[in-house]
Amino acid sequence: MYDLIFFLVLLLLGYVFGQRAEKSHFRSIIEREKQLRDILVFSERRIPDEDKLDGTLVCGSVVISVDFFKRFVAGLRSLVGGRVSAYESLLERARREAILRMKEEALRSGAKSVWNIRLETASIYKGAQQSIGAVEVLAYGTAVKPR
Amino acid sequence: MAEYENPQLPEGINVSPTHPLKDFALLVAGIGALLIVAVLALSLLAGQLARHIPFEQERALAASLGRWLPQPPDSPLDQQRQHYLQTLTDRLAGAMELPPNMPITVHYSSSKTVNAMATLGGHIIVFQGLIDTLPSENALAMVLAHEIAHVRHRDPVVAMGRGFAVLLALSSLAGFGDGALQQWLAGVGMLPILSFSRSQEEEADRTALQAVLQLYGHVGDAAAFFEALARRQSLPESPTLFNTHPDVEQRIARIRDFSARQVNSDRAPAIPLPAFMKAA
């Protein structure tokens, strides 16, 4: 019985705090994306006018924890299959945050655009039993500024 | 570089637009329903299999469960009562043509509980509180025959098999309650765990009526216990134990119906209970 109460409290805490964190994170992401719209990012490998530019490696990484509620819903989803919407929003946040941090680094180095950007994801605590787990997204690319 | 630009993208491309709580509710309801159906099917299957456990095995299991039956009575009066109950039970068992390897053991308890129960291994427990509500030996015989019928139909072992399967399934699925299985095994002889279904009760009533008819030639007073029960239930403080029993009124009606179909119904006098059976 106490197990069940403990579980429900965890679920409620996970939902309340997880959703609050997610909402405010998305607000912050949208706000900062507007501010950094001047920094352009491309996955294109070949940089136009390469010989007139200076390139540096920039990267941004973020680690976001799964909350208890998301993990439980995803666990149920894994029984029946389908889109794991609980994790979709989590990864969306992580990707956009990583690109934003990379853009901020590019801004500090005085670059106007980042080329050849790549995204890497890693699951932290992968395979560890009874742990909540977290996801890391790393964005990196070549920031260029006029020579 | 004029041809390169980052257009403003609309929100919500990579995220399903479902509300997390709706997703949660759908999943919990769907998987919960599946689980209930699966556990129900498992329990029915386990009941069917448990029916085929040899009675010797059931007795050995009941003996291995420890001291869950009432202590043998020590006062001479209680021993006399126990002996009387056992004699009546043996007469009924003879009338019911039980299989030869199915001995019924009656345990008398001086507790005021208004109940009698059949449990694993052919053990029947009769409480003094029940005997006090009964007007005659015929009424007591009906109750005893009902419990013997449960044993004969293997209802206790079926109930045990079902309970065990459900508990095993739930604890292995959820991964919680390691101690629960042991607790359940220790308490398996207790009545609240071995509950019989409505159809099992009806079947036991039918068999018991036949036995009483065969032994006494009539089924007068057979409904006495249920009538007493109905009177008690109309009181505001009815014991919760009886609330699980199927409709008492219906059972009384069924017994009266059976009795009306007998030629010499209710004309023969009921045999009174011996004086020592009533509480002082």
Side-chain angles (χ1 to χ4, degrees):
Chain A
M1 195 61 209
Y2 287 111
D3 282 2
L4 188 67
I5 293 171
F6 189 61
F7 169 77
L8 290 176
V9 167
L10 279 181
L11 206 62
L12 188 72
L13 285 178
Y15 178 71
V16 170
F17 286 98
Q19 289 299 306
R20 266 178 57 175
E22 186 158 290
K23 283 219 172 71
S24 71
H25 192 196
F26 266 123
R27 270 199 301 276
S28 144
I29 286 172
I30 291 167
E31 181 59 32
R32 282 180 298 146
E33 275 178 350
K34 272 185 199 140
Q35 288 167 11
L36 292 167
R37 269 193 66 75
D38 294 342
I39 312 277
L40 301 178
V41 293
F42 305 105
S43 57
E44 173 69 55
R45 254 176 86 187
R46 202 186 50 77
I47 306 171
D49 307 327
E50 208 173 339
D51 44 342
K52 294 177 207 148
L53 300 166
D54 264 349
T56 52
L57 176 73
V58 286
C59 63
S61 105
V62 63
V63 178
I64 300 183
S65 171
V66 182
D67 61 60
F68 193 83
F69 179 79
K70 277 185 190 297
R71 193 181 80 133
F72 180 69
V73 173
L76 289 183
R77 181 55 84 185
S78 72
L79 294 177
V80 292
R83 289 179 73 164
V84 189
S85 58
Y87 284 171
E88 281 177 345
S89 61
L90 187 86
L91 277 158
E92 166 96 343
R93 275 159 71 194
R95 277 193 304 268
R96 288 166 77 170
E97 180 70 36
I99 291 174
L100 277 172
R101 289 181 182 184
M102 185 195 69
K103 280 182 165 185
E104 279 160 9
E105 198 186 321
L107 184 70
R108 278 196 295 277
S109 73
K112 281 283 179 199
S113 60
V114 185
W115 295 81
N116 192 17
I117 75 160
R118 295 289 181 265
L119 292 167
E120 306 276 347
T121 61
S123 157
I124 295 181
Y125 305 126
K126 190 189 292 182
Q129 287 293 309
Q130 303 299 321
S131 68
I132 287 291
V135 65
E136 184 201 19
V137 173
L138 168 71
Y140 59 93
T142 308
V144 294
K145 57 182 174 185
R147 184 168 284 169
Chain B
M1 262 182 62
E3 67 269 34
Y4 288 98
E5 54 168 357
N6 279 170
Q8 172 107 44
L9 298 173
E11 286 293 321
I13 292 177
N14 293 320
V15 181
S16 308
T18 44
H19 192 274
L21 277 184
K22 192 185 156 203
D23 202 29
F24 172 75
L26 270 176
L27 282 170
V28 167
I31 292 171
L34 263 176
L35 218 62
I36 287 171
V37 168
V39 168
L40 214 65
L42 198 66
S43 125
L44 287 176
L45 185 70
Q48 288 305 313
L49 289 178
R51 207 179 287 280
H52 298 288
I53 295 174
F55 194 74
E56 289 85 5
Q57 286 296 320
E58 190 186 321
R59 274 170 63 85
L61 179 68
S64 71
L65 284 175
R67 300 150 58 89
W68 48 278
L69 289 165
Q71 293 293 310
D74 23 74
S75 80
L77 178 65
D78 286 355
Q79 280 170 1
Q80 197 181 5
R81 286 169 172 169
Q82 162 121 22
H83 179 74
Y84 169 75
L85 288 173
Q86 185 68 56
T87 314
L88 183 57
T89 303
D90 290 344
R91 280 167 62 204
L92 281 164
M96 289 168 88
E97 289 162 354
L98 289 189
N101 58 353
M102 195 182 273
I104 307 284
T105 320
V106 178
H107 300 264
Y108 167 79
S109 164
S110 54
S111 147
K112 290 281 157 212
T113 316
V114 184
N115 202 8
M117 54 174 115
T119 176
L120 288 178
H123 295 284
I124 291 175
I125 303 162
V126 180
F127 294 95
Q128 179 63 46
L130 171 97
I131 298 171
D132 288 339
T133 64
L134 299 176
S136 65
E137 185 185 291
N138 303 52
L140 178 60
M142 176 63 193
V143 175
L144 281 174
H146 175 90
E147 303 304 337
I148 298 169
H150 274 314
V151 174
R152 185 179 152 185
H153 300 153
R154 310 299 307 273
D155 293 343
V157 79
V158 167
M160 187 214 64
R162 280 186 187 163
F164 187 74
V166 168
L167 202 75
L168 200 64
L170 289 185
S171 62
S172 59
L173 268 176
F176 63 75
D178 296 333
L181 206 63
Q182 270 150 353
Q183 265 179 24
W184 186 85
L185 278 176
V188 73
M190 307 296 168
L191 179 76
I193 294 164
L194 295 181
S195 61
F196 304 136
S197 72
R198 177 184 284 243
S199 65
Q200 284 173 323
E201 296 290 350
E202 286 174 13
E203 195 60 39
D205 275 351
R206 250 194 303 281
T207 312
L209 279 172
Q210 288 293 347
V212 170
L213 179 68
Q214 189 154 358
L215 193 63
Y216 295 101
H218 65 95
V219 291
D221 263 0
F225 171 62
F226 299 114
E227 282 160 3
L229 207 61
R231 278 197 297 279
R232 285 176 72 88
Q233 272 186 342
S234 58
L235 299 176
E237 60 218 316
S238 76
T240 49
L241 188 64
F242 296 119
N243 294 348
T244 56
H245 262 261
D247 219 337
V248 172
E249 299 292 339
Q250 230 173 30
R251 291 173 76 176
I252 296 173
R254 216 173 284 121
I255 292 170
R256 289 213 175 118
D257 184 45
F258 181 90
S259 128
R261 272 185 276 126
Q262 306 308 317
V263 239
N264 49 357
S265 61
D266 284 338
R267 261 175 287 164
I271 302 169
L273 278 171
F276 60 81
M277 286 310 285
K278 290 288 179 186

